[in-house]
Amino acid sequence: MHSFQYGTTSFSYTVELQEKRKDIAISVSLDEGIKVRAPIGIEPTHLETILYKKAPWIIKKKNELDEIGVPAKPKEFVSGEKFPYLGRNYKLKVHRFENIQKSTLSFRQGRFIAEIPAEMSDCEKENELKLSFKEWYTLHGSKKVEERLQIYCPKMLLEPSNFVIKEQQKRWGSCASDGAIYLNWRIMMAPMAIIDYVLVHELAHLKYQDHSPEYWRFVRSILPDYEHRKDWLRVNGPLLTLI
């Protein structure tokens, strides 16, 4: 671990030296903190010069992460635990049965109902139900997004070639060169206003491939308060997870 001083602010960072790297890349994240990826043999003075130039950006990113607060706790998949869907939390009820071989998950009467084999261990239960929740969010999320596409496609005069809800590690959504739109299944935990923002964000990329001023003006014409929604996702997005 290394440290750097910028004015009255000091911060710690790690350095990863990479053989094939030719430039310096700096990232700021919740899981890795401040990380510098640099070529092998880089001069310490050169690295310090880069850090000094990037310090305002690093501090800004770090302050943004500090707003997020306590990271989400891993789900235990036990009765009484709450799981979000479309911005509302619903309790889970777990039932164990002797005469079933496979776990199932359903949503009835305002709660999630899990039915699992009586002999299933807690570790197996967590793995099974984590997968079941992902599948549930994906299935029901696809239906919900179809409804929202019927609203926004006519407004934006745009139509994706396809849309898919799937696992995405670091993105809430993406737009492929063939016109297909992909959304992260975890976004289905967020309020509908936030889902709409991600959907409009990706639909807009069918018209603009970058984040130019024209792109953001187009997004604002559809969602005048998109900045508020974008900021909500930045702060609360890390909490939308099963871990």
Side-chain angles (χ1 to χ4, degrees):
M1 186 71 73
H2 305 265
S3 61
F4 184 78
Q5 187 79 27
Y6 181 78
T8 59
T9 303
S10 61
F11 52 81
S12 300
Y13 64 94
T14 58
V15 177
E16 180 181 317
L17 299 177
Q18 300 176 338
E19 184 176 356
K20 296 183 179 181
R21 178 170 286 279
K22 296 182 179 181
D23 57 358
I24 296 174
I26 302 174
S27 61
V28 185
S29 63
L30 282 173
D31 52 346
E32 293 185 328
I34 302 169
K35 188 168 186 175
V36 179
R37 295 174 176 83
I40 293 177
I42 187 172
E43 292 291 335
T45 53
H46 179 54
L47 180 57
E48 288 187 6
T49 299
I50 298 297
L51 285 170
Y52 189 84
K53 290 181 179 179
K54 297 288 290 185
W57 176 85
I58 293 172
I59 294 170
K60 177 177 179 291
K61 289 295 181 182
K62 189 174 182 303
N63 289 339
E64 288 177 353
L65 289 179
D66 288 342
E67 293 179 11
I68 295 174
V70 180
K73 294 181 180 179
K75 295 294 187 182
E76 298 179 2
F77 301 95
V78 296
S79 291
E81 194 170 25
K82 294 180 179 179
F83 291 78
Y85 176 57
L86 302 183
R88 294 184 60 184
N89 287 313
Y90 299 93
K91 288 185 178 181
L92 169 66
K93 180 65 177 180
V94 179
H95 297 283
R96 289 182 178 268
F97 293 98
E98 297 284 351
N99 59 344
I100 63 173
Q101 302 298 319
K102 185 179 180 180
S103 64
T104 61
L105 179 72
S106 59
F107 186 82
R108 303 195 302 268
Q109 298 178 337
R111 67 171 56 190
F112 288 103
I113 306 295
E115 298 180 354
I116 65 174
E119 69 278 6
M120 181 176 282
S121 68
D122 287 342
C123 183
E124 290 174 326
K125 176 197 68 175
E126 290 180 12
N127 291 333
E128 285 274 338
L129 293 186
K130 182 182 292 186
L131 178 60
S132 294
F133 266 98
K134 287 183 180 180
E135 292 174 346
W136 192 93
Y137 283 123
T138 300
L139 174 62
H140 291 267
S142 295
K143 296 176 181 178
K144 186 59 65 174
V145 172
E146 284 181 356
E147 296 174 5
R148 308 311 284 179
L149 283 171
Q150 298 304 312
I151 296 174
Y152 288 105
C153 287
K155 286 184 177 181
M156 302 174 73
L157 301 178
L158 296 169
E159 186 78 34
S161 61
N162 189 22
F163 87 89
V164 179
I165 294 181
K166 66 172 189 175
E167 179 82 43
Q168 297 195 83
Q169 293 297 322
K170 296 184 178 181
R171 293 183 176 185
W172 292 111
S174 58
C175 180
S177 58
D178 64 357
I181 286 177
Y182 301 92
L183 298 186
N184 192 321
W185 64 267
R186 294 193 295 116
I187 197 61
M188 302 315 300
M189 301 181 187
M192 183 54 67
I194 308 305
I195 298 172
D196 284 349
Y197 163 69
V198 175
L199 183 59
V200 168
H201 183 112
E202 300 310 328
L203 283 172
H205 280 309
L206 295 173
K207 185 173 183 178
Y208 300 98
Q209 284 70 51
D210 54 15
H211 290 108
S212 62
E214 291 79 11
Y215 167 86
W216 288 116
R217 279 196 290 270
F218 183 48
V219 171
R220 182 178 284 108
S221 72
I222 306 300
L223 299 175
D225 64 340
Y226 85 86
E227 290 176 315
H228 173 74
R229 305 186 196 208
K230 180 182 179 182
D231 196 53
W232 187 99
L233 189 57
R234 175 183 65 79
V235 173
N236 297 281
L239 303 179
L240 305 177
T241 181
L242 301 176
I243 309 273

